[in-house]
Amino acid sequence: MVRRLAPPVAPSRPATDTAEAVVVTRVGAPSVVVASDAFKGSLSSLDVADAVRSGVLDVVPQARVVVLPVADGGEGTVAAALACGWSPVPVDVHGPTGEAVVATVALRPAPRGPSPAINTADHELSTVDSTADRRHSSVDSTADHRRSTVDHSADQELSSVANTADTRRRTAINTADQRRSSVDTAGATPFGAGEAAHRPAVVHVTALVELADACGLGRLPGGVPAPLTASSRGLGEAIRGALDLGATEVVVGVGGSASTDGGAGALAALGARLLDESGSPLADGGAALSRLAHLDVTGLDRRLEGTRLVLAADVDSPLLGPAGAAVVFGPQKGARPEDVTVLEAALTRWADVVAATPLRAFPRRSAGGPARAPGPTGAAALAGMPGAGAAGGVGFALLTVLGAERRSGVDVVLDLVGLEGAFDGADLVVTGEGSLDPQTLMGKAVAGVTRRATAHGIPAVAVCGLLALDEAGLTALGVRAAYPLSDLEADPARSVRDARVLLHRTGARIAREWLSRPPA
């Protein structure tokens, strides 16, 4: 059954006793913004929004419906960026248990285009590739023609050309990297901030990487959890891939992680060395951290020094303790009670070693401040930082070792998809996710959308597969009405299977109840 509420309305719209009293009656086409998170296991964010949109237009064909994909910084964050025009770049990484996977880095291009140095280097690289391709083709053709008599000789010639081309390509790549690193990136526009009045003549490229895509739960082979051995290494490899692409700012969307390794795997992929008492490298995984004796950060990728790193996370949990990464989130990744005990002890050791490491050996650029001084900042203080427990402790590594800036994952996504601009002239906002429950109130995408809609005085309604919030919860969420698909289909399996059709019907119902047709 649809739950209707009449929470306080922003001053720009008169308060009313019932939700129905704010039905749009203006002359002209009503405007609706549909910004829903994905229905996990059923439909993507865009699929949900498109189904609702089609239902609205069936009832009010003249309506203006703006569809925006949203996410909370976890799974679906890169997809939301790509849907808004960012460029996808495949990057080879390792999944949570070491298998080879291909992740996607989303790139937002520089506001004024690349500098001449980078253009020149890229042109040189393109020329080398083109020349190598032509020479390969020529040698292949000659080799085919002479194959019967000089097969061995042709193979040697082809190998020689290939080696020469590879050498020239490496040289061109190194030249491009050197020129990129020489470009002054000071004063670049911060991610999510408004356009500066005077844009600096610098190259500023923002890259977005998603932990869930690289080494999250969805990357576990066969879905089999590995709570003690799963690693965040793939995330570090994705960040390194973003640096290879010339990014001056890397936004890291965390959530849906399969590991509880405190971000150690990600640091190892970026050049850190985690050593045991004998000086041997540790194996991947959270449990191995119990044997950690030394953290060597001198080999961390130097390009991180000039790169702004943003941790997009809404989880404010600490690394350790009853609200920490192992105790709260470990069981969600398959950890048994005895596994949680092992992981908590291992993460405690990890925090102790990080606190004792002279991180000034790696003078990274943090969020506008100096590198953290070693020594006086104890393990308890570092482990207790809000967000340190995000993604199995990945937040801890990014915040303490790499000096990342933490931002709300929802706000990062809502900024990059341009939600604020879509509100202009909007009469209604439709949001949603698979399940509206108490966790929705804790930094989920729906909460972010309704918070901003309320600030603009625009009523918001929500669609969902299941509704587990009472009226007080919906009031706190800022939702005027909730439309669960379970009202239309009680069987969960059929509801998941037929979600698109059910959302279409729900969109039509929302249009009938919240949008009135203009006078004939």
Side-chain angles (χ1 to χ4, degrees):
M1 179 177 182
V2 175
R3 294 185 184 171
R4 292 188 174 281
L5 304 173
V9 182
S12 59
R13 293 174 185 264
T16 57
D17 293 329
T18 63
E20 287 83 356
V22 296
V23 169
V24 177
T25 57
R26 77 179 196 184
V27 176
S31 178
V32 181
V33 175
V34 185
S36 173
D37 203 345
F39 279 31
K40 290 182 173 59
S42 180
L43 296 175
S44 70
S45 173
L46 281 177
D47 288 337
V48 172
D50 188 62
V52 172
R53 173 183 176 275
S54 64
V56 169
L57 293 176
D58 271 1
V59 175
V60 187
Q62 74 277 11
R64 174 180 175 266
V65 184
V66 177
V67 167
L68 291 175
V70 298
D72 59 8
E75 184 178 357
T77 299
V78 164
L82 298 182
C84 294
W86 290 44
S87 301
V89 181
V91 176
D92 293 327
V93 303
H94 289 90
T97 53
E99 64 287 349
V101 301
V102 179
T104 299
V105 173
L107 282 185
R108 182 174 64 182
R112 294 189 63 184
S115 71
I118 290 182
N119 276 335
T120 301
D122 287 341
H123 176 71
E124 290 175 2
L125 186 56
S126 175
T127 300
V128 170
D129 284 339
S130 177
T131 302
D133 288 342
R134 289 197 303 268
R135 296 186 67 195
H136 271 292
S137 176
S138 174
V139 172
D140 280 338
S141 176
T142 303
D144 288 340
H145 180 69
R146 298 185 297 163
R147 183 69 63 188
S148 61
T149 57
V150 290
D151 187 46
H152 180 67
S153 175
D155 285 342
Q156 287 182 324
E157 186 178 348
L158 180 57
S159 175
S160 174
V161 171
N163 288 336
T164 301
D166 287 343
T167 300
R168 295 184 65 199
R169 178 174 173 80
R170 284 194 298 271
T171 300
I173 290 174
N174 289 336
T175 301
D177 287 341
Q178 289 169 358
R179 290 176 178 172
R180 284 187 174 90
S181 65
S182 67
V183 177
D184 180 13
T185 58
T189 304
F191 182 85
E195 290 293 327
H198 175 68
R199 294 179 179 177
V202 298
V203 174
H204 179 62
V205 179
T206 297
L208 176 65
V209 300
E210 180 185 307
L211 183 150
D213 181 43
C215 53
L217 288 167
R219 293 294 195 179
L220 286 168
V224 179
L228 300 179
T229 58
S231 170
S232 61
R233 179 177 292 273
L235 175 65
E237 292 168 334
I239 294 173
R240 192 177 65 210
L243 297 176
D244 290 341
L245 294 167
T248 56
E249 177 178 56
V250 180
V251 181
V252 184
V254 298
S257 69
S259 59
T260 309
D261 72 346
L267 293 181
L270 288 167
R273 299 173 69 225
L274 288 80
L275 308 173
D276 63 17
E277 286 286 357
S278 68
S280 299
L282 290 184
D284 281 349
L289 293 174
S290 62
R291 302 190 302 277
L292 179 65
H294 179 62
L295 171 64
D296 179 5
V297 298
T298 59
L300 278 170
D301 195 315
R302 308 306 293 186
R303 294 173 296 180
L304 289 164
E305 296 176 24
T307 302
R308 184 169 182 255
L309 197 63
V310 178
L311 171 67
D314 289 284
V315 172
D316 58 5
S317 302
L319 178 68
L320 304 172
V327 175
V328 175
F329 302 107
Q332 299 175 13
K333 304 168 189 180
R336 300 166 299 179
E338 57 268 31
D339 296 332
V340 170
T341 300
V342 169
L343 291 169
E344 181 73 8
L347 291 177
T348 300
R349 179 60 182 165
W350 175 227
D352 288 340
V353 172
V354 170
T357 300
L359 296 183
R360 282 194 183 277
F362 178 62
R364 70 217 173 280
R365 187 179 75 181
S366 60
R372 177 180 67 81
T377 303
L382 294 179
M385 294 176 66
V394 164
F396 175 77
L398 268 60
L399 292 170
T400 62
V401 179
L402 300 184
E405 169 191 351
R406 177 173 170 255
R407 285 197 63 208
S408 160
V410 171
D411 285 338
V412 166
V413 176
L414 298 186
D415 285 346
L416 72 86
V417 302
L419 183 66
E420 294 291 328
F423 281 158
D424 291 344
D427 300 294
L428 180 69
V429 172
V430 182
T431 186
E433 65 178 357
S435 177
L436 288 184
D437 53 39
Q439 286 194 357
T440 306
L441 301 171
M442 301 173 65
K444 294 291 187 178
V446 172
V449 172
T450 57
R451 182 181 70 248
R452 295 193 182 198
T454 299
H456 284 263
I458 307 171
V461 300
V463 296
C464 58
L466 296 173
L467 178 59
L469 288 177
D470 57 15
E471 290 191 3
L474 291 177
T475 299
L477 187 58
V479 169
R480 301 288 188 85
Y483 296 82
L485 301 189
S486 56
D487 282 0
L488 302 177
E489 177 52 71
D491 181 77
R494 283 198 291 266
S495 180
V496 169
R497 183 192 65 198
D498 300 332
R500 190 185 300 272
V501 173
L502 299 176
L503 283 166
H504 177 93
R505 290 170 57 187
T506 301
R509 182 175 181 181
I510 290 172
R512 286 192 295 270
E513 295 180 358
W514 291 86
L515 307 174
S516 65
R517 300 177 186 273

